[in-house]
Amino acid sequence: MQAARLHEYTDEMDAALSIEEIDRPVVDAADGIVVEVEGAGWCQTDNHVVEGMWTEYVPQELPMTLGHENAGTVVETGDGVSAVAEGQQVICHPVMTCGICRSCRLGEDMYCADLAFPGLTTDGGFAEYLRTNERAAVPLPDGVDPIDIAPHADAGITAYHAAKKAVSELNPGDHAVVIGVGGLGHIGLQCLAATSAAEITALDPKEGALDLATELGAHHTVNPGSEDAATEIEAITDGGGAQQVLDFVGADATTALAPEIVAAGGDHHVVGYGGHVHEPAQALVDGELSYRGTLVGRYTELQELVALVERGDVELRTSRYELGEINDVARRLEAGAIEGRAVITP
Amino acid sequence: MQAARLHEYTDEMDAALSIEEIDRPVVDAADGIVVEVEGAGWCQTDNHVVEGMWTEYVPQELPMTLGHENAGTVVETGDGVSAVAEGQQVICHPVMTCGICRSCRLGEDMYCADLAFPGLTTDGGFAEYLRTNERAAVPLPDGVDPIDIAPHADAGITAYHAAKKAVSELNPGDHAVVIGVGGLGHIGLQCLAATSAAEITALDPKEGALDLATELGAHHTVNPGSEDAATEIEAITDGGGAQQVLDFVGADATTALAPEIVAAGGDHHVVGYGGHVHEPAQALVDGELSYRGTLVGRYTELQELVALVERGDVELRTSRYELGEINDVARRLEAGAIEGRAVITP
Amino acid sequence: MQAARLHEYTDEMDAALSIEEIDRPVVDAADGIVVEVEGAGWCQTDNHVVEGMWTEYVPQELPMTLGHENAGTVVETGDGVSAVAEGQQVICHPVMTCGICRSCRLGEDMYCADLAFPGLTTDGGFAEYLRTNERAAVPLPDGVDPIDIAPHADAGITAYHAAKKAVSELNPGDHAVVIGVGGLGHIGLQCLAATSAAEITALDPKEGALDLATELGAHHTVNPGSEDAATEIEAITDGGGAQQVLDFVGADATTALAPEIVAAGGDHHVVGYGGHVHEPAQALVDGELSYRGTLVGRYTELQELVALVERGDVELRTSRYELGEINDVARRLEAGAIEGRAVITP
Amino acid sequence: MQAARLHEYTDEMDAALSIEEIDRPVVDAADGIVVEVEGAGWCQTDNHVVEGMWTEYVPQELPMTLGHENAGTVVETGDGVSAVAEGQQVICHPVMTCGICRSCRLGEDMYCADLAFPGLTTDGGFAEYLRTNERAAVPLPDGVDPIDIAPHADAGITAYHAAKKAVSELNPGDHAVVIGVGGLGHIGLQCLAATSAAEITALDPKEGALDLATELGAHHTVNPGSEDAATEIEAITDGGGAQQVLDFVGADATTALAPEIVAAGGDHHVVGYGGHVHEPAQALVDGELSYRGTLVGRYTELQELVALVERGDVELRTSRYELGEINDVARRLEAGAIEGRAVITP
């Protein structure tokens, strides 16, 4: 089958992956499944993998097929599989978990002690077929197109997970700020709007992104290119700050906003990871401020997100590309020139 | 009356405060009270105030009497006061709150929109008398000596507040790490031990502090002076890390431990604020790690801490000093040469 | 001034209250205020007070002016009042609290150790003027008519409080059931819809109420007059039951539904109190079912509800009556012949 | 092998079960295991099963081997088992779960959509061997005797689960009441003492049970045989009531205590199920009181309980009996004549 594979780390996105013919994966465990990939989202994390940014955090062996936002049709199942069947359309939770360790037993899939992450630690979905397991598969409701929903497998669930953490702290009338209305941010914003009655402010240097934010439910917008973000948010929040900030950028400049824009006792959720957090400890103490990292989300949260999609509460802006266009997608995302979310259709 | 006052910011602790005669404060509001100070704890924050570190965060006008850990006897009450009476012994929550703003109505005393902080923004308790208000006063149970309990007014409540946040995430068998077994840390450790069944590891470069930790309930100790802290904690936690870390130091070196010692999804509570947090955003994302600032605690938490003291669950190691010795105390704390908590007895 | 007062308990609603001339109340405490009542909602609880049902639970001395859902204009303030001023329009949280006891300090207004409840324990708002205190007053946003919003003072906050407890347990795709789409139920339903992405089923024997429910956001309706409620809800929830049930009726027949319609681990919130809970303990154990009483709500929750109203998320169906019509209102509510919520305009 | 089996429901405990020879179970699924039973606790629920009380709640086919509190040594494992090995000593979580349904994925083992409950729905552990699955097995720490720990498989985990729910609402100085210091109650009391700083009051009509309670950490005791429970608890709690009540009896008389002894906003946890809850809805509303059923506990909670046992925080009072004495045990428990927990050693 055709697959887009990384052979060495590079900063040159133009020729990052090579399209090549490899063997189709087969089921090799009782709970294993093989999915014919219909849609596989390209994610900023793919750029980071290409650059080698993940080698410090996970075991990674090259060459490897990238792609961790996958949806398609189950074509093969292991002996012990009962929750899905051949022919069923599914979206794949990004990790394969053991189901037995204490983290799995707590429902904390991402902390599984024996986890594989197709596209980061094993072959992913920029290919005609993907091997994963039963525990990763969430059946799709009727009428949901796998290509349209694929990016929810990682972008969606990550945005939802962060939004859910924020919503648990948001009362009607409280303020939430969404930093970065891109692939993840435009989902997170809709999750906030669907599950809370918070006042939502979107912050993005692109006017088009702010227009999209308004369309998707933001009550206020701030353009840090032309306005002073802290001053604007102070005005919007009557001086109190935002109880919850979702930072889908995670750059030095965005994490540095926290002491100025987060309300006392509030949280700055670090979802994007382009830069650093660098603050005096006293800045965290003074406003009882937290920087809270957020890592993908639980299997059950992907179920919840699919329910939101089925309700029509979250729409995804996507553009489709063939497997052969993948390096072009990589390059354009790096340049900030992708509208919505790019989905590869192998 | 005699009071120890700061006239200008300085790094010289030897002569930081001057002992002088000023007018005794009087009640000037319906909910006001005046307390004859019996004990007033000296806190690392007092050193920071002397150095001018708080000017960026709170309004401060010099000269000012320092001292925010106060206990004593009520000697005067305003017309509207009903909760305490003259002659009653009390420990003073460190801030005077309005009781009317939304934060106060939520029970979040520290976020009061109209707050005064004796010893930081108004005259404090290193003096014979202190003006505060009814909302700050927690009556002492019979048999509790104000001098012994005074440091709980800030050191105690801050440690308890942080421990309470941690305990809400700790299950039996989980691991907690206490960094710094000094004035706050030795209280926080006891709060953890009294209200959870977590495995507690104490980390301190002083062997005496580690001995104290063991005596007070720590199950493991690590001396970062002679051992590699991350390696030791990895071994103690069977590789899983500590679900909750209470960092009573907050130095660059201690906040930098988080990515190595905090379990997936866990928290590094920043209580001390000697240095910075400086990490790549990806380090927060990878382990879903949070840096959570912690700021003193609620009035109701001081009630809860007093209940712990009354039960005998938390003992305080204190040493007593006269008002005239105050600069000596300041200097010795800066040098790490104070055992337990220093209490001034004006 | 004119006031509608209860002189003796009775089951005859036709002549329950007498309209009479009494002295206008005046401020008698530093934090006291007097409000010129513009709207005062009539509540099922008023019928219960008339019947004497509350004598067992609160101290009550007759004659007494009823009316605990009040909004109007502040006309007099005590010396210590700073949060509201004369001329300001306010909605009144139903109880006057002390602000000093531990419950108040926790933000739990309804558990205040020294509470007065105008309309239940002191003179209420079916009168031209009402005495309450600063802690009860929530300023109204511009453009909100006190007459329109008055029922939120008790009906609204009670419904919101119950809905908020439910929402904290509801994930997208979970099911919520609202039993009784009357004065409280139609508010609770909107609160659920505004702050969660749960699937909402409304249950009411009146078709008009079910039509209203659909209009306000219910996804399913069940008429227990013509359908078997348990069977219908089992079908709607694919056999899993509803994670959260809000029972605004609280009759024997509605509480008895819980073991059949509540999902494992779910809650049946008892808001209305027309009847009993009567179940074998084993029924609670088998499905880990809770019956959770709900009592009005916090002051801060009234703030949050006002924010929902200002956002346009919760609309109130009201009909207006003059003070002289009050017994007619009482009789018609008893007969189930009031559409929406009746508001008296003294 | 020898097994104690129920052939028909009866109220006669003397000859409830027959000891007979049946085939040894074998592994019949990839995740299956067979455990050689060393200890199997007799539980009040066994009496209820004998009486037919569970037929309404679970599918049950006779004859059936009873026994749902099992510990022993793994002697056979299915192909897919990796978490335990032959020869390993384990305590068995009481249910076999699928691991795949949403409840399992949430960590809510007891709500599994495809659950088997050995001793209630399939053959249990009053036999030489028990068939269960990998997901039920918690490995024992070195030095823990399976016979000593067996009752924790159900009595222990149920008591711990209820205590954990209570502890999440208990602050230092709050009050907890334990009703019934028997097989479950004496465990629940220790769990409360180990994981909270609440004031604990034990209530039991047997003086011996109250002595045990004091020994295990209760601060107050009440004998409802000779004292008025509500009056005593009012005195102990200074009139405020107990924030949390754990009712290990669940009789009409004990559930009826709730409105009198539970603090405002508190919970009456129904663990035992001998009788009914029968209260006016208004009693739940007036004090915002909840009756919360409690059903066994999660797999991860059994891990936590084993951690408590290993720490020495929870000791179990047991007495040992041979399989042939089982009907005698049943009869004596019915008569209240068993001290601590009876363990059968097949």
Side-chain angles (χ1 to χ4, degrees):
Chain A
M1 66 171 187
Q2 295 278 303
R5 290 166 73 77
L6 178 69
H7 284 260
E8 56 183 329
Y9 303 112
T10 173
D11 289 341
E12 303 299 317
M13 291 298 146
D14 288 72
L17 303 183
S18 61
I19 311 296
E20 56 200 80
E21 189 72 25
I22 59 169
D23 288 344
R24 206 203 92 163
V26 291
V27 162
D28 63 353
D31 73 340
I33 63 172
V34 171
V35 173
E36 184 175 357
V37 181
E38 295 177 43
W42 181 276
C43 174
Q44 182 74 44
T45 289
D46 291 309
N47 295 66
H48 292 327
V49 172
V50 168
E51 294 159 353
M53 260 181 84
W54 276 95
T55 53
E56 185 182 337
Y57 295 100
V58 298
Q60 213 167 64
E61 211 170 303
L62 302 190
M64 187 179 71
T65 307
L66 268 56
H68 55 272
E69 293 185 343
N70 308 306
T73 304
V74 176
V75 293
E76 194 187 339
T77 60
D79 287 348
V81 172
S82 61
V84 292
E86 290 177 30
Q88 199 155 23
Q89 290 192 315
V90 296
I91 181 169
C92 300
H93 187 274
V95 297
M96 300 164 66
T97 56
C98 74
I100 295 296
C101 71
R102 181 166 162 90
S103 293
C104 280
R105 295 306 292 266
L106 287 166
E108 291 287 5
D109 300 276
M110 292 309 302
Y111 311 156
C112 173
D114 188 19
L115 168 153
F117 201 143
L120 264 86
T121 70
T122 65
D123 283 340
F126 294 142
E128 293 173 65
Y129 295 92
L130 167 76
R131 176 164 55 209
T132 181
N133 70 2
E134 177 183 27
R135 289 179 57 81
V138 176
L140 293 182
D142 290 343
V144 175
D145 184 335
I147 303 179
D148 289 339
I149 205 174
H152 280 315
D154 183 58
I157 194 182
T158 301
Y160 174 73
H161 178 63
K164 187 175 182 181
K165 287 160 75 171
V167 165
S168 72
E169 305 289 334
L170 285 168
N171 294 307
D174 284 353
H175 286 270
V177 171
V178 172
I179 301 179
V181 189
L184 272 78
H186 86 291
I187 303 170
L189 195 161
Q190 294 176 80
C191 294
L192 283 177
T195 61
S196 83
E199 290 292 297
I200 304 173
T201 299
L203 191 147
D204 200 295
K206 288 190 272 189
E207 282 300 321
L210 295 179
D211 292 345
L212 176 63
T214 301
E215 194 183 322
L216 296 176
H219 306 92
H220 313 274
T221 59
V222 175
N223 187 326
S226 55
E227 301 171 290
D228 181 66
T231 305
E232 295 301 314
I233 290 168
E234 188 178 6
I236 290 166
T237 63
D238 285 334
Q243 279 72 22
Q244 299 288 309
V245 174
L246 296 175
D247 185 347
F248 291 104
V249 177
D252 290 19
T254 58
T255 66
L257 287 171
E260 292 180 284
I261 68 172
V262 178
D267 299 307
H268 187 102
H269 298 273
V270 179
V271 192
Y273 50 95
H276 290 75
V277 173
H278 181 57
E279 289 297 331
Q282 194 175 4
L284 279 78
V285 168
D286 179 57
E288 195 149 22
L289 164 68
S290 297
Y291 284 101
R292 301 178 63 183
T294 193
L295 175 64
V296 194
R298 299 172 168 209
Y299 175 87
T300 52
E301 291 174 332
L302 186 52
Q303 293 179 314
E304 293 160 20
L305 177 57
V306 169
L308 283 180
V309 171
E310 197 179 4
R311 288 167 59 97
D313 284 343
V314 177
E315 55 175 300
L316 200 51
R317 301 296 166 98
T318 58
S319 47
R320 301 180 178 198
Y321 301 86
E322 296 187 8
L323 191 58
E325 302 174 275
I326 201 161
N327 288 326
D328 193 42
V329 168
R331 184 184 49 75
R332 288 173 56 193
L333 186 72
E334 198 70 17
I338 294 277
E339 293 291 311
R341 195 76 175 175
V343 180
I344 311 297
T345 58
Chain B
M1 66 171 188
Q2 295 277 304
R5 290 167 71 78
L6 177 68
H7 284 259
E8 55 182 330
Y9 303 112
T10 174
D11 290 341
E12 304 299 318
M13 293 297 148
D14 288 71
L17 303 183
S18 62
I19 311 294
E20 56 200 82
E21 189 73 21
I22 60 170
D23 287 346
R24 205 203 94 162
V26 292
V27 162
D28 63 353
D31 71 340
I33 63 172
V34 170
V35 175
E36 183 176 359
V37 181
E38 296 177 41
W42 181 276
C43 174
Q44 182 75 41
T45 289
D46 290 309
N47 296 65
H48 293 327
V49 172
V50 168
E51 293 159 354
M53 260 179 84
W54 276 95
T55 53
E56 185 182 337
Y57 296 100
V58 297
Q60 213 166 64
E61 213 170 302
L62 301 189
M64 189 179 69
T65 307
L66 269 55
H68 55 273
E69 294 185 343
N70 307 305
T73 304
V74 176
V75 292
E76 192 187 342
T77 60
D79 287 348
V81 172
S82 61
V84 292
E86 289 176 32
Q88 199 156 20
Q89 289 192 316
V90 296
I91 181 170
C92 299
H93 187 273
V95 297
M96 299 165 66
T97 56
C98 74
I100 295 295
C101 70
R102 182 167 161 91
S103 293
C104 281
R105 295 306 291 266
L106 287 166
E108 290 287 5
D109 301 276
M110 293 308 302
Y111 311 157
C112 174
D114 189 20
L115 168 152
F117 201 142
L120 263 87
T121 70
T122 65
D123 283 340
F126 294 142
E128 292 173 66
Y129 295 91
L130 166 77
R131 176 165 53 209
T132 181
N133 70 1
E134 178 183 25
R135 289 179 57 81
V138 176
L140 292 182
D142 290 344
V144 174
D145 183 335
I147 303 178
D148 289 338
I149 203 174
H152 279 315
D154 183 58
I157 194 181
T158 301
Y160 174 73
H161 178 62
K164 187 176 181 181
K165 287 161 73 172
V167 165
S168 72
E169 306 287 334
L170 285 168
N171 294 306
D174 284 353
H175 287 269
V177 170
V178 172
I179 301 179
V181 189
L184 273 79
H186 86 291
I187 302 170
L189 195 160
Q190 293 176 82
C191 294
L192 282 177
T195 62
S196 84
E199 291 291 298
I200 304 172
T201 298
L203 190 147
D204 201 293
K206 287 190 274 189
E207 282 301 321
L210 295 178
D211 291 345
L212 175 62
T214 301
E215 194 183 323
L216 297 175
H219 306 92
H220 314 273
T221 58
V222 174
N223 187 328
S226 56
E227 301 172 292
D228 180 66
T231 304
E232 294 302 313
I233 289 168
E234 188 179 5
I236 290 166
T237 63
D238 284 335
Q243 279 73 19
Q244 299 288 308
V245 173
L246 297 174
D247 184 347
F248 291 104
V249 176
D252 290 19
T254 58
T255 67
L257 286 172
E260 293 180 283
I261 69 172
V262 178
D267 299 307
H268 187 102
H269 298 273
V270 178
V271 191
Y273 50 95
H276 290 76
V277 173
H278 183 55
E279 289 297 331
Q282 194 175 4
L284 279 77
V285 168
D286 180 56
E288 195 149 21
L289 164 68
S290 297
Y291 283 100
R292 301 177 64 184
T294 194
L295 175 64
V296 193
R298 300 172 167 208
Y299 175 87
T300 52
E301 291 174 333
L302 185 53
Q303 292 180 314
E304 294 160 20
L305 177 57
V306 169
L308 283 179
V309 170
E310 197 180 5
R311 288 166 57 97
D313 283 343
V314 177
E315 58 176 297
L316 200 50
R317 300 296 168 98
T318 58
S319 47
R320 301 178 178 200
Y321 301 87
E322 297 186 9
L323 191 58
E325 302 174 274
I326 201 162
N327 288 326
D328 193 41
V329 168
R331 185 184 48 74
R332 287 173 56 193
L333 186 71
E334 198 70 18
I338 295 278
E339 294 290 312
R341 195 76 175 175
V343 181
I344 310 298
T345 57
Chain C
M1 66 171 186
Q2 295 278 303
R5 290 168 70 78
L6 177 69
H7 283 260
E8 55 183 331
Y9 303 112
T10 174
D11 291 342
E12 303 299 317
M13 292 297 147
D14 288 72
L17 304 183
S18 62
I19 312 295
E20 56 200 80
E21 188 72 23
I22 59 169
D23 288 345
R24 207 203 91 161
V26 293
V27 162
D28 63 354
D31 72 340
I33 64 172
V34 171
V35 174
E36 183 175 359
V37 181
E38 295 178 42
W42 181 278
C43 172
Q44 182 74 43
T45 288
D46 290 309
N47 296 65
H48 293 327
V49 172
V50 168
E51 293 159 354
M53 261 179 84
W54 276 95
T55 53
E56 185 182 335
Y57 296 99
V58 298
Q60 213 166 65
E61 211 170 302
L62 301 189
M64 188 178 72
T65 307
L66 270 57
H68 56 273
E69 293 185 342
N70 307 307
T73 304
V74 176
V75 293
E76 193 187 342
T77 60
D79 288 349
V81 172
S82 60
V84 291
E86 289 176 32
Q88 198 156 23
Q89 290 193 314
V90 296
I91 181 169
C92 300
H93 187 273
V95 298
M96 299 165 65
T97 56
C98 74
I100 294 296
C101 70
R102 179 166 163 91
S103 293
C104 280
R105 295 305 293 265
L106 287 166
E108 290 286 4
D109 301 275
M110 293 307 303
Y111 311 156
C112 172
D114 189 19
L115 167 154
F117 201 142
L120 264 87
T121 70
T122 65
D123 283 340
F126 294 143
E128 293 173 64
Y129 295 91
L130 168 77
R131 175 165 54 210
T132 180
N133 70 2
E134 178 184 27
R135 289 179 56 81
V138 176
L140 292 181
D142 289 344
V144 175
D145 183 336
I147 303 179
D148 289 338
I149 205 175
H152 280 315
D154 183 58
I157 194 181
T158 302
Y160 174 74
H161 178 62
K164 186 176 181 180
K165 285 161 74 171
V167 165
S168 72
E169 305 288 334
L170 284 168
N171 295 307
D174 284 353
H175 286 269
V177 171
V178 172
I179 301 179
V181 188
L184 274 77
H186 85 291
I187 302 169
L189 196 160
Q190 293 176 80
C191 294
L192 281 178
T195 60
S196 84
E199 289 292 297
I200 304 173
T201 299
L203 190 148
D204 200 294
K206 287 190 273 189
E207 282 301 321
L210 295 180
D211 292 345
L212 175 62
T214 301
E215 193 184 322
L216 297 176
H219 306 92
H220 313 273
T221 59
V222 174
N223 187 327
S226 56
E227 302 171 290
D228 181 66
T231 305
E232 294 301 313
I233 289 168
E234 188 179 4
I236 289 165
T237 62
D238 285 335
Q243 277 73 19
Q244 298 288 308
V245 173
L246 296 175
D247 185 347
F248 291 103
V249 177
D252 290 21
T254 58
T255 66
L257 286 171
E260 293 180 285
I261 68 172
V262 178
D267 299 306
H268 188 102
H269 298 273
V270 179
V271 191
Y273 51 95
H276 291 76
V277 173
H278 182 56
E279 289 297 332
Q282 194 175 3
L284 279 76
V285 168
D286 179 56
E288 195 148 22
L289 165 68
S290 297
Y291 284 101
R292 302 178 63 183
T294 193
L295 175 63
V296 193
R298 300 171 168 209
Y299 176 87
T300 52
E301 291 175 332
L302 186 52
Q303 293 179 314
E304 293 160 21
L305 177 57
V306 170
L308 284 180
V309 170
E310 198 179 3
R311 287 167 58 96
D313 283 343
V314 177
E315 58 176 298
L316 200 51
R317 301 296 167 99
T318 58
S319 47
R320 300 178 178 200
Y321 302 86
E322 297 187 6
L323 191 59
E325 301 174 277
I326 200 163
N327 288 326
D328 193 41
V329 168
R331 185 184 49 74
R332 288 174 56 194
L333 185 73
E334 197 72 17
I338 295 277
E339 294 290 311
R341 195 76 174 174
V343 180
I344 310 298
T345 57
Chain D
M1 67 171 186
Q2 294 278 301
R5 289 166 71 78
L6 178 69
H7 283 259
E8 55 183 331
Y9 303 112
T10 175
D11 290 342
E12 303 299 317
M13 292 296 147
D14 288 72
L17 303 182
S18 63
I19 311 296
E20 56 200 81
E21 188 72 23
I22 59 169
D23 288 346
R24 206 204 93 161
V26 292
V27 162
D28 63 353
D31 72 340
I33 63 172
V34 171
V35 173
E36 184 175 358
V37 181
E38 294 177 44
W42 181 276
C43 173
Q44 183 74 42
T45 288
D46 290 310
N47 296 64
H48 293 327
V49 172
V50 167
E51 293 159 354
M53 260 180 84
W54 276 95
T55 54
E56 185 182 335
Y57 296 99
V58 297
Q60 212 167 66
E61 213 171 302
L62 301 189
M64 189 178 70
T65 306
L66 268 54
H68 55 273
E69 293 185 342
N70 307 305
T73 304
V74 176
V75 292
E76 192 186 341
T77 60
D79 287 349
V81 172
S82 60
V84 292
E86 289 177 33
Q88 198 155 23
Q89 289 192 315
V90 295
I91 181 169
C92 300
H93 187 273
V95 298
M96 299 164 66
T97 56
C98 75
I100 295 295
C101 71
R102 181 166 162 93
S103 293
C104 280
R105 295 306 291 266
L106 287 166
E108 289 289 3
D109 300 276
M110 293 307 302
Y111 311 157
C112 173
D114 188 20
L115 166 154
F117 202 142
L120 263 87
T121 71
T122 64
D123 283 339
F126 294 143
E128 293 172 65
Y129 295 91
L130 167 77
R131 175 164 56 210
T132 182
N133 70 3
E134 177 183 26
R135 288 179 57 80
V138 176
L140 292 182
D142 290 343
V144 174
D145 184 335
I147 304 179
D148 289 339
I149 204 175
H152 279 314
D154 183 58
I157 193 181
T158 302
Y160 174 73
H161 178 62
K164 186 176 181 179
K165 286 161 74 172
V167 165
S168 72
E169 306 287 334
L170 285 168
N171 295 307
D174 284 352
H175 287 269
V177 170
V178 173
I179 301 180
V181 189
L184 273 78
H186 86 291
I187 302 170
L189 196 159
Q190 293 175 80
C191 294
L192 282 177
T195 61
S196 84
E199 290 292 298
I200 304 173
T201 299
L203 190 147
D204 199 295
K206 288 191 273 191
E207 282 300 322
L210 295 179
D211 292 344
L212 175 62
T214 301
E215 193 183 322
L216 297 176
H219 306 93
H220 313 274
T221 60
V222 174
N223 188 327
S226 56
E227 301 171 291
D228 181 67
T231 305
E232 294 301 315
I233 290 168
E234 189 179 3
I236 291 166
T237 63
D238 284 334
Q243 278 73 19
Q244 299 287 308
V245 173
L246 296 174
D247 184 348
F248 291 104
V249 177
D252 291 20
T254 58
T255 66
L257 286 170
E260 293 180 283
I261 68 172
V262 178
D267 300 306
H268 187 102
H269 297 273
V270 179
V271 192
Y273 51 94
H276 291 75
V277 173
H278 182 56
E279 288 297 332
Q282 195 175 2
L284 279 77
V285 168
D286 180 56
E288 195 149 21
L289 165 69
S290 297
Y291 284 101
R292 301 179 62 183
T294 193
L295 175 63
V296 193
R298 300 172 168 209
Y299 176 88
T300 51
E301 291 175 332
L302 186 52
Q303 292 179 315
E304 293 159 20
L305 178 56
V306 169
L308 284 179
V309 170
E310 197 179 4
R311 286 166 59 96
D313 283 343
V314 176
E315 58 175 297
L316 200 51
R317 300 297 167 98
T318 58
S319 47
R320 301 179 178 199
Y321 302 86
E322 297 187 6
L323 191 59
E325 301 174 276
I326 200 164
N327 288 325
D328 193 42
V329 168
R331 184 184 50 74
R332 288 173 56 194
L333 186 71
E334 198 71 16
I338 295 277
E339 293 290 311
R341 195 75 174 177
V343 181
I344 310 298
T345 57

